[in-house]
């Protein structure tokens, strides 16, 4: 049962990251990608890494999340 | 004693088959796909086996079927090995289980008393780390796996002494401890990614390091069972301190840069951040140790 809770938490967290809109939200708080392409230095820094992580999660998980969410919806409809 | 039992059992199991095979020998039906190569055969059995085997092999139809069946089985096994190797690197896992008794003894001693050990570096052999059998500093997976299973059994024992035991509790304890382990490994991976540490720590290494705290937890719960709450708190305190020191000394060499690892205090934001990260990972261990065991000792 704890494993199921972990899967639920992971799906919810990934959904939360996928919902962050690039223009409407991230640009407003200065976390968009084009604002953070800093110099050509060696150390990206934590903020740049986070921004890159958010962008890559959104790009990679967009389609699988549709599938996972549909499966979750169907399961919740069937089994309450 | 159980050798004769074994062959006796096999005799009882095989005799009806022999009678059937004897009657169906000309209907060419392969009733045995693989040769029975087990060593537990008595003399009488071997005679019967040889007789039936000769009848089986001399039949070309069943010969063909046997050859086809064994080739199919080997094909299936090959395909499964190939596919499994893609998801779980089996050859890499074998490295982590190449341990022997001396290593396990030394490592367990190091986990509860790391204060006298001087050299914490992992020795390499032509760019690959040496197997744990030869180097006491190398991480292994044998101790964490065994400690995890022992922890589940000990928690079942502890709950049993408080009359709170039921068989489902074992499964629940196991899954919740596993979930905490997964969460901890993911958190460490995330923080290592964010701080851009160029390290050769693989995921399996992190699983091994996170699994070492189960040893301390077992010691704590067992002494809590034997000596009551005071024994639990004292031994947990000791094990927490030693796991803290163990993790810091091991991770310092892997995460921090070379200069800082040798003890020279290198100033700079990068190294400071890495030091904080090491201390955070090491400090999370005692927290988990307390969180996963305090409900077992009342």
């Amino acid at each position: 049962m704890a494993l199921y809770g972990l899967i639920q938490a992971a799906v919810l967290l990934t959904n939360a990251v996928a919902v962050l809109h690039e223009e409407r939200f991230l640009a407003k708080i200065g976390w968009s990608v084009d604002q953070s392409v800093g110099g050509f230095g060696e150390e990206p820094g934590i903020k740049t890494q986070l921004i890159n992580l958010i962008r890559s999660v959104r790009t990679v998980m967009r389609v699988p999340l549709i599938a996972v969410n549909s499966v979750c919806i169907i399961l919740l409809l069937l089994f309450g | 004693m159980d050798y004769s039992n074994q062959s006796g059992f096999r005799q009882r199991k095989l005799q009806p088959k022999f009678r059937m095979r004897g009657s169906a020998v000309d209907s060419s039906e392969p009733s045995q796909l693989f040769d029975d190569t087990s060593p537990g055969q008595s003399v009488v059995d071997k005679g019967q086996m040889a007789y039936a085997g000769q009848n089986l092999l001399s039949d070309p139809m069943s010969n063909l079927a046997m050859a086809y069946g064994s080739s199919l089985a080997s094909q299936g096994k090959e395909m499964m090995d190939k596919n499994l190797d893609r998801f779980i690197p089996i050859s890499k896992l074998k490295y982590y289980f190449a341990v022997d008794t001396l290593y396990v003894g030394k490592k367990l001693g190091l986990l509860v008393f790391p204060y006298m050990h001087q050299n914490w570096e992992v020795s390499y052999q032509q760019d690959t780390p040496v197997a744990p059998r030869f180097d006491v500093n190398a991480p292994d997976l044998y101790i964490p796996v065994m400690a995890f299973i022992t922890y589940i059994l000990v928690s079942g024992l502890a709950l049993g002494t408080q009359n709170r035991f039921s068989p489902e509790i074992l499964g629940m304890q196991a899954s919740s401890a596993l979930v905490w382990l997964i969460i901890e490994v993911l958190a460490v991976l995330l923080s290592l990614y964010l701080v851009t540490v160029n390290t050769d720590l693989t995921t399996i290494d992190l699983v091994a390091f996170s699994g070492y705290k189960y040893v301390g937890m077992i010691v704590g719960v067992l002494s809590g069972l034997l000596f009551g709450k005071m024994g639990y708190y004292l031994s947990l305190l000791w094990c927490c301190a030693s796991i803290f020191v163990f993790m810091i000394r091991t991770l310092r060499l892997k995460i921090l840069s070379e200069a800082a690892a040798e003890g020279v205090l290198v100033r700079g934001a990068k190294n400071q951040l890495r030091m904080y990260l090491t201390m955070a990972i090491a400090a999370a261990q005692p927290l988990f140790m307390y969180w996963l065991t305090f409900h077992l000792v009342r």
Side-chain angles (χ1 to χ4, degrees), chain B:
Chain B
M1 185 67 153
D2 46 347
Y3 176 85
S4 68
N5 261 350
Q6 224 178 14
S7 55
F9 170 74
R10 203 166 278 121
Q11 265 184 339
R12 262 179 284 140
K13 198 171 65 160
L14 282 178
Q15 260 166 8
K17 243 191 194 163
F18 285 156
R19 270 185 249 119
M20 200 176 63
R21 196 178 287 134
S23 63
V25 78
D26 35 345
S27 71
S28 76
E29 203 174 301
S31 51
Q32 193 186 18
L33 206 53
F34 301 107
D35 293 339
D36 189 9
T37 54
S38 58
Q41 299 282 341
S42 67
V43 182
V44 179
D45 221 2
K46 202 170 274 183
Q48 283 182 331
M49 273 299 294
Y51 175 69
Q54 272 176 5
N55 264 340
L56 205 58
L57 285 175
S58 63
D59 213 348
M61 193 63 173
S62 61
N63 201 5
L64 190 67
M66 207 164 69
Y68 179 66
S70 51
S71 84
L72 201 63
S74 66
Q75 249 182 24
K77 180 169 158 19
E78 215 177 83
M79 191 177 68
M80 206 189 71
D81 275 343
K82 197 168 56 149
N83 276 338
L84 198 61
D85 204 34
R86 241 185 317 155
F87 294 121
I88 311 173
I90 298 232
S91 48
K92 275 194 242 166
L93 271 183
K94 277 193 195 167
Y95 159 79
Y96 287 98
F97 285 99
V99 296
D100 60 347
T101 326
L102 201 61
Y103 169 82
V104 169
K106 277 200 256 183
K107 194 79 177 193
L108 286 178
L110 211 60
L111 279 171
V112 293
F113 196 75
Y115 307 107
M116 304 290 290
H117 194 78
Q118 302 293 337
N119 181 24
W120 290 84
E121 282 215 6
V122 181
S123 43
Y124 282 83
Q125 185 198 26
Q126 296 159 358
D127 211 23
T128 57
V130 175
R133 197 176 288 149
F134 306 114
D135 178 24
V136 87
N137 293 320
D140 71 316
L141 272 183
Y142 175 80
I143 292 183
V145 168
M146 291 296 144
F148 184 76
I149 297 175
T150 315
Y151 161 73
I152 295 171
L153 294 175
V154 166
S155 71
L157 180 71
L159 288 176
T161 57
Q162 299 163 23
N163 292 327
R164 283 195 290 157
F165 181 77
S166 76
E168 294 93 32
I169 291 216
L170 280 181
M172 275 171 43
Q173 286 277 337
S175 58
S176 72
L178 199 65
V179 161
W180 279 116
L181 185 74
I182 293 176
I183 290 180
E184 185 188 345
V185 170
L186 285 179
V188 171
L189 274 175
L190 181 72
S191 48
L192 280 179
Y193 170 76
L194 286 182
V195 179
T196 62
V197 172
N198 301 337
T199 171
D200 53 350
L201 276 178
T202 63
T203 315
I204 307 185
D205 278 339
L206 289 175
V207 171
F209 286 134
S210 304
Y212 280 141
K213 64 173 168 303
Y214 286 106
V215 178
M217 289 201 286
I218 294 168
V219 171
V221 174
L222 280 179
S223 51
L225 282 177
L226 289 173
F227 303 117
K229 276 209 119 163
M230 194 40 64
Y232 166 68
Y233 280 128
L234 282 177
S235 56
L236 198 70
L237 205 64
W238 176 266
C239 291
C240 284
S242 28
I243 277 282
F244 187 68
V245 170
F246 177 85
M247 291 296 284
I248 287 200
R249 288 203 182 155
T250 310
L251 289 178
R252 195 175 57 163
L253 289 169
K254 299 247 175 182
I255 298 187
L256 291 183
S257 61
E258 299 306 317
E262 284 167 19
V264 181
L265 284 175
V266 177
R267 281 283 133 193
K270 188 175 70 149
N271 276 326
Q272 217 171 23
L273 201 57
R274 291 183 182 187
M275 195 62 199
Y276 284 154
L277 177 68
T278 317
M279 301 203 68
I281 295 176
Q285 310 289 321
L287 281 177
F288 276 118
M289 284 169 73
Y290 181 69
W291 178 262
L292 287 174
T293 52
F294 78 98
H295 60 278
L296 294 175
V297 182
R298 287 280 168 85

Side-chain angles (χ1 to χ4, degrees), chain A residues 2 4 6 21 23 27 30 36 38 41-42 44-45 51-52 57 63-64 72 75:
Chain A
Y4 180 63
L6 183 69
H21 196 275
E23 302 172 346
S36 79
E42 1 159 301
I51 295 171
N52 279 337
V57 165
V63 173
C72 282
L75 282 180

